[in-house]
Amino acid sequence: MKKFLLSLVAILSALSMSAKEDVVTEATVYEFANGWAWNTVKGYSEGLVSDADSKTVDLSNVVYTDMSAYDYLVVEYSSTADVNLIIQYNCTGVYGEWGPEFNTGSATCFSSPSETYAAVKLTDLKNTVNCVALQNGATTGTMNVSAMYFATSEEYEAVKAKYEAAETGASEDLSLTDLNSGWQSSYDATTQTITFEGDWTGRGWWLAGKDCSRFTKVVIEIEPVAHYCQLIAEYGTDGDNKDGEAQSAGCAAGETKIVLYLDEARKQHVLQFYLQSEKAGKIKIVKAYLSGDAAPSVLTENLSGAGEVTVKGGDFGWNNGTWLGKSSLNPKFKNIVFEIEYTEKPISIVVQYPGDDYNVNQICAATTKACKMVFPIPADATGINQWAIQNFNKDVTGNIAAGDFKCNITKVYLTSEDVESDYPVWVDPSEAKAPLYVVGDVEGASWSDFTQSTATLEYNNNLAQYVGVITVNDSWEGNGWFVITPTLGTAEELAASDWTNFNAARMSVSSDYGTLNETATLVQGVDQSFKLAAGTYTLYVDLTAMTIKIEAGNTGIKSAATSSLKSGKFVENNTIVIYKNGKKFNVAGSLIK
């Protein structure tokens, strides 16, 4: 008995639902020989609207059709022209140039060789339907209508699902005959070229609320561009054709394609697509289309502004800025990545998001090693205004140093991947750790004077170690001896030959004089020295772990490239000079100005 009651309820529910109302009862071909040709498919009102005083109308003799039981006007078709599906409602009560002005709703049926569908969502005027019509735009051709009907939301979802299932990977061209939306721009259909008269002007396609549910992306293929350009998708809500929320995707100079992945939550009502260029100029379109192809597992989008730049010295302010004007971000993007080939001096990269003073920055030390600087995109970021490079080259007092320098940002892009930064971390010179000194048979120091040494190990913030290159002199039978100390002796101690404090601070290994390429325990205050054959060596000292590793040759300064200050021995103009704490000395230890 229970089963019977359930069946009866289902039957009654089915009977109570409104069956779709056909506008056309059989397949019909509509021809559009001229632009903006109007075809009334079916009238739904009785009586005539009369002119009362040439400005207003008399509606007293008009009876409209009530379609309140339905939610959509649907057409299933194939077409060689772009055609607008139009529904007219209650007259506005006034006369215009072409007679009575009606409230309307419309959707564009884009040309399609295979059968597809389009729909207009009915408004709250659906109880006063006047007529249903078809009108082409600038394109001409024929439209084959296999079905047109008023439908409930359930019936609309069913037809949408039917075409989505039948057209997995569907593709639909956007018209290149007429780009009917834009400002301070023009379009030449014969060359398929947009001319932008000013920076950030626009030109594109007005879609009037097109349902793009079965598509995943819009693709614009173009000839290589000279400037950054972007594609904007503007959405509406329900039947409202006012400006809606927007979404953007761009391409950097030299690229030939823009791919914008449609917002899943809003793509059922697209108001328009339009292109913008950051500079006045031209864009030639090769192809424009909607696609249902699945999105790749990793999304990327190149941003503008990459390349070698000269950063102005003595100016901490905003320079080398690149305006992007991205109104929105695909929510799948996680990071903005800057690939840095080199920077001669420290720089700060700043990303500015919409909002008052909404800036995020990171500081990169001078580096000759390629690296990545990664900015996680804030959850509340609605778009990206711009990014810029700032001078962050400071002297030992923390002031911005004078003198221009170069850096090369090879690539800037958005990505949905999890990426880690590996750029050299900048350390404020005014807060830098004091160096360790090497005393003994090395260039820049001696055993006879423990009050001075230009043979130093500088703290490397990335490695969390002290790193330095030293040259060991031949003191006896091709060998030299030395120790490491955080503190040099005083002139008074030297005069009194008092080695007490120096010996307490000095560090070396407890035995064996140290072995190359092996990490050894560093001991403080031990009566022992390092012993190495005369030559050049790189020392790595970890004071937290109290370890040292010695490698033959200069393996540290060039490969690590992590200190914000030049440090170590260099040959300049055929003369050996020594850099320490941002200052330059000769081999004798005198400051070079």
Side-chain angles (χ1 to χ4, degrees):
M1 187 65 179
K2 184 176 182 181
K3 183 176 181 180
F4 172 78
L5 287 174
L6 287 174
S7 300
L8 181 60
V9 169
I11 293 170
L12 291 174
S13 298
L15 291 175
S16 65
M17 292 176 61
S18 299
K20 62 184 181 181
E21 175 74 22
D22 288 329
V23 179
V24 296
T25 56
E26 59 184 16
T28 307
V29 177
Y30 296 87
E31 294 186 0
F32 300 92
N34 301 302
W36 304 104
W38 179 278
N39 282 274
T40 298
V41 179
K42 188 173 182 179
Y44 282 93
S45 64
E46 294 181 359
L48 297 176
V49 174
S50 59
D51 181 3
D53 55 11
S54 76
K55 292 182 180 179
T56 61
V57 299
D58 181 3
L59 305 175
S60 58
N61 293 323
V62 181
V63 178
Y64 297 104
T65 299
D66 187 350
M67 291 292 182
S68 299
Y70 304 101
D71 303 297
Y72 290 89
L73 173 62
V74 180
V75 61
E76 299 181 50
Y77 73 96
S78 62
S79 179
T80 60
D82 293 344
V83 178
N84 293 318
L85 173 64
I86 300 170
I87 180 170
Q88 281 190 345
Y89 303 103
N90 181 42
C91 182
T92 62
V94 297
Y95 263 89
E97 181 180 359
W98 307 105
E101 294 184 357
F102 286 88
N103 294 282
T104 60
S106 66
T108 302
C109 307
F110 289 94
S111 59
S112 173
S114 58
E115 187 168 86
T116 183
Y117 81 103
V120 180
K121 186 174 176 60
L122 304 183
T123 71
D124 56 5
L125 294 174
K126 61 185 178 179
N127 62 326
T128 56
V129 175
N130 179 62
C131 77
V132 171
L134 293 170
Q135 184 182 38
N136 66 320
T139 61
T140 59
T142 59
M143 181 178 188
N144 299 296
V145 175
S146 59
M148 186 185 298
Y149 49 88
F150 289 91
T152 63
S153 293
E154 291 80 5
E155 290 164 342
Y156 165 72
E157 292 296 333
V159 72
K160 182 170 73 170
K162 180 183 78 171
Y163 283 100
E164 286 178 350
E167 299 185 27
T168 301
S171 180
E172 182 178 301
D173 289 340
L174 296 176
S175 173
L176 295 181
T177 302
D178 180 29
L179 272 63
N180 55 2
S181 173
W183 70 101
Q184 290 183 259
S185 61
S186 59
Y187 178 68
D188 185 341
T190 58
T191 62
Q192 298 179 181
T193 300
I194 301 173
T195 299
F196 298 98
E197 299 170 5
D199 300 350
W200 299 111
T201 54
R203 176 63 51 176
W205 300 263
W206 178 255
L207 306 180
K210 178 178 175 60
D211 186 348
C212 295
S213 298
R214 69 185 188 280
F215 302 111
T216 58
K217 62 186 177 183
V218 57
V219 181
I220 310 296
E221 297 180 10
I222 57 180
E223 291 194 349
V225 289
H227 306 287
Y228 176 80
C229 63
Q230 63 180 0
L231 173 67
I232 309 294
E234 191 174 89
Y235 303 94
T237 54
D238 298 329
D240 184 4
N241 281 344
K242 296 179 181 178
D243 290 350
E245 296 185 33
Q247 180 186 2
S248 66
C251 71
E255 295 186 339
T256 59
K257 182 184 289 188
I258 308 176
V259 179
L260 187 152
Y261 289 94
L262 299 171
D263 189 319
E264 292 292 335
R266 297 180 291 171
K267 64 181 182 179
Q268 71 276 11
H269 195 89
V270 180
L271 296 181
Q272 60 180 325
F273 297 130
Y274 61 91
L275 288 163
Q276 286 186 307
S277 172
E278 67 172 337
K279 299 293 182 183
K282 298 178 183 292
I283 292 179
K284 183 173 181 178
I285 302 175
V286 176
K287 191 174 183 181
Y289 58 95
L290 290 156
S291 172
D293 291 341
S297 57
V298 176
L299 297 184
T300 60
E301 179 186 323
N302 290 337
L303 300 178
S304 181
E308 185 179 71
V309 299
T310 298
V311 182
K312 297 297 182 181
D315 181 10
F316 182 68
W318 197 275
N319 65 49
N320 304 108
T322 299
W323 180 261
L324 299 174
K326 287 186 69 63
S327 56
S328 68
L329 292 170
N330 188 312
K332 293 183 180 180
F333 286 133
K334 297 179 181 178
N335 297 297
I336 305 173
V337 182
F338 296 83
E339 293 189 358
I340 303 171
E341 182 180 7
Y342 70 86
T343 176
E344 294 176 344
K345 302 290 176 62
I347 57 171
S348 170
I349 292 183
V350 184
V351 177
Q352 184 188 66
Y353 298 99
D356 295 335
D357 298 322
Y358 192 175
N359 298 334
V360 180
N361 78 302
Q362 296 181 39
I363 305 167
C364 179
T367 178
T368 58
K369 182 180 179 181
C371 60
K372 291 181 181 179
M373 183 179 282
V374 180
F375 284 72
I377 298 174
D380 59 345
T382 58
I384 307 174
N385 283 348
Q386 58 185 320
W387 70 272
I389 300 172
Q390 288 181 317
N391 179 7
F392 220 82
N393 178 35
K394 292 189 175 184
D395 59 27
V396 292
T397 64
N399 296 318
I400 294 294
D404 297 351
F405 60 91
K406 292 184 180 295
C407 71
N408 190 14
I409 312 296
T410 56
K411 194 174 183 181
V412 185
Y413 57 96
L414 297 165
T415 180
S416 61
E417 276 191 306
D418 294 318
V419 184
E420 293 186 3
S421 292
D422 61 358
Y423 69 95
V425 179
W426 177 82
V427 178
D428 192 326
S430 61
E431 299 177 358
K433 294 179 182 289
L436 298 179
Y437 302 93
V438 181
V439 175
D441 299 323
V442 297
E443 287 189 8
S446 68
W447 282 115
S448 60
D449 185 356
F450 55 76
T451 65
Q452 63 178 341
S453 173
T454 58
T456 58
L457 311 181
E458 305 292 339
Y459 188 75
N460 184 302
N461 194 68
N462 278 325
L463 300 178
Q465 295 180 17
Y466 292 83
V467 182
V469 178
I470 65 170
T471 300
V472 177
N473 296 324
D474 179 359
S475 176
W476 179 259
E477 294 182 346
N479 300 312
W481 286 258
F482 62 90
V483 293
I484 299 167
T485 180
T487 307
L488 294 170
T490 66
E492 293 77 12
E493 290 172 336
L494 181 63
S497 296
D498 182 1
W499 289 68
T500 305
N501 291 330
F502 180 82
N503 286 337
R506 60 186 274 180
M507 295 178 287
S508 62
V509 288
S510 59
S511 62
D512 300 329
Y513 300 109
T515 304
L516 287 179
N517 302 317
E518 291 185 7
T519 300
T521 300
L522 197 61
V523 182
Q524 193 164 26
V526 67
D527 186 15
Q528 176 77 6
S529 301
F530 295 99
K531 173 187 173 184
L532 292 173
T536 300
Y537 300 90
T538 302
L539 278 56
Y540 299 87
V541 173
D542 185 339
L543 289 188
T544 302
M546 285 300 285
T547 59
I548 184 170
K549 185 177 181 181
I550 303 174
E551 296 179 352
N554 184 346
T555 63
I557 298 300
K558 289 191 295 184
S559 62
T562 53
S563 175
S564 63
L565 296 174
K566 196 173 185 179
S567 177
K569 285 185 174 65
F570 298 85
V571 177
E572 295 181 358
N573 299 321
N574 297 317
T575 302
I576 297 176
V577 295
I578 300 167
Y579 284 85
K580 184 180 78 171
N581 292 340
K583 298 179 180 179
K584 183 164 66 172
F585 303 83
N586 61 24
V587 177
S590 299
L591 181 65
I592 301 173
K593 296 183 179 180

